[in-house]
Amino acid sequence: MIPGSFQYHRPTTVADAVRLLADLGEDARPLAGGHSLIPMMKLRMATPEHLVDLAAIAELKGIRHAGASIVIGAMTTQKELIASDLLTSALPIIRETSLLIADPQVRYCGTIGGNVANGDPGNDMPGVMMALDASYQIAGSAGTREVKARDFYFGAYFTALEPGEMVTAVSVPVPPAGHGAAYEKLKRKIGDYATAAAAVVLTKQGGRIAQASITLTNVGQTALLAEDAMAAVRGTSLGPDVLARAAAAAEAITDPASDGRGPAAYRTKVAGIMVRRALERAFARAAG
Ligand code: FAD
């Protein structure tokens, strides 16, 4: 299918991009890597009259330390996330997750900003950012603001972004050294979205879990924070009973669709299995 016609804009600063998005209103959409938006346009599920390409805005690129956080520019590609030594050492779950997204061709273009702003429950980064308690830096004509990933997603393709706003960066607090993290994703084949996936970030003290965040991907309208599962593992050394309780608590909050990836009941069970696997791997990786 061929997309509908549109006008193409290529600003070189965030200020110009925000001005364009504000002036053009709801008929305009930011264009990042295009690997979600262009397929939607080809299917005529999105018909923007204006595309504001963010590719020439240098200030949206790069990965840097900022105090106790790492700030990732919105136009940083998944390939660049994988190649980053800083992320590999401080936030290895981002590299691990990026390697499970799509295939090398998609990862060469797909950006972190597009992945978190898209609002597709199948995207992998929203759940990971919720597990890491990251925030999104947002720019609009009224100025800038920051929204926690955990407060950003309202429903499928429905986020906290107001018309004319864009994500400029993702800010991730660096978990303590010795933390353990894991992303487990079941997919039918390379390049597929998750049947179900789970992210875990935890710290240990004296062989017991001190803090744990658990999130789920593609088993609801948005990525889900599994708070009861988090409470079930806190203070424990993760024996079989605890794993079973955590998996059951996670399964209880899912509401997946029955689709080509399987019936809803199967996808719910897979979510529980992903939680078990991610917990076991994160626990084994954590020091303390
Ligand atoms: P775009 O497609 O350019 O934009 C996506 C949406 O976000 C658009 O609505 C756009 O207007 C908006 N947007 C983009 N940037 C910003 C910004 N900075 N601020 C505000 N709004 C913005 N993703 C996964 O997570 N897991 C997968 O397994 C997976 N598999 C895939 C398989 C294939 C074959 C393909 C084609 C894609 C797959 N994807 C997957 C999606 C891919 O990761 C996308 O690249 C990503 O979801 C969107 O990033 P993008 O940079 O391409 O954004």
Side-chain angles (χ1 to χ4, degrees):
M1 287 265 288
I2 297 171
S5 61
F6 56 85
Q7 281 190 42
Y8 177 80
H9 308 264
R10 197 174 169 92
T12 53
T13 64
V14 169
D16 284 348
V18 161
R19 202 169 306 121
L20 275 167
L21 290 169
D23 289 351
L24 299 168
E26 300 217 345
D27 294 332
R29 294 276 282 274
L31 173 68
H35 274 57
S36 290
L37 183 54
I38 303 293
M40 298 269 276
M41 289 170 63
K42 286 180 159 183
L43 293 168
R44 304 285 171 122
M45 289 164 72
T47 51
E49 289 176 15
H50 299 270
L51 288 184
V52 178
D53 190 348
L54 308 180
I57 306 179
E59 63 199 286
L60 293 177
K61 279 275 193 185
I63 304 167
R64 62 186 169 83
H65 252 301
S69 295
I70 289 177
V71 175
I72 307 171
M75 286 299 286
T76 306
T77 63
Q78 291 148 7
K79 176 180 176 281
E80 289 163 341
L81 299 176
I82 291 166
S84 162
D85 291 339
L86 178 57
L87 292 181
T88 300
S89 62
L91 291 163
I93 191 173
I94 293 183
R95 180 173 196 275
E96 181 167 289
T97 305
S98 302
L99 282 166
L100 294 172
I101 292 177
D103 53 51
Q105 283 130 311
V106 172
R107 298 197 293 260
Y108 192 77
C109 295
T111 65
I112 187 142
N115 202 289
V116 301
N118 193 26
D120 181 341
N123 284 139
D124 290 290
M125 282 300 172
V128 171
M129 292 305 150
M130 286 166 60
L132 288 164
D133 202 14
S135 299
Y136 303 153
Q137 295 177 6
I138 293 171
S141 50
T144 58
R145 65 189 179 114
E146 204 162 298
V147 178
K148 278 185 175 284
R150 292 179 184 183
D151 299 328
F152 186 79
Y153 301 99
F154 300 153
Y157 300 102
F158 179 27
T159 70
L161 280 179
E162 298 287 347
E165 284 188 326
M166 56 179 275
V167 174
T168 54
V170 174
S171 173
V172 190
V174 179
H179 79 280
Y183 192 66
E184 283 284 348
K185 172 175 176 179
L186 183 80
K187 50 186 176 169
R188 295 170 299 179
K189 60 181 172 60
I190 294 293
D192 194 18
Y193 290 85
T195 301
V200 169
V201 179
L202 59 78
T203 56
K204 266 191 335 202
Q205 227 167 25
R208 292 181 178 273
I209 294 176
Q211 286 295 333
S213 296
I214 304 173
T215 59
L216 306 173
T217 295
N218 217 14
V219 284
Q221 292 289 304
T222 65
L224 302 169
L225 185 68
E227 292 184 79
D228 289 345
M230 287 154 56
V233 300
R234 214 170 289 132
T236 76
S237 48
L238 207 65
D241 291 355
V242 173
L243 279 171
R245 273 204 300 280
E251 287 173 19
I253 62 167
T254 65
D255 184 20
S258 292
D259 61 15
R261 294 184 180 85
Y266 165 72
R267 296 182 63 189
T268 289
K269 274 289 161 216
V270 172
I273 293 166
M274 295 303 105
V275 166
R276 278 172 181 264
R277 289 184 186 170
L279 273 169
E280 284 176 317
R281 227 148 43 84
F283 192 79
R285 286 171 169 174

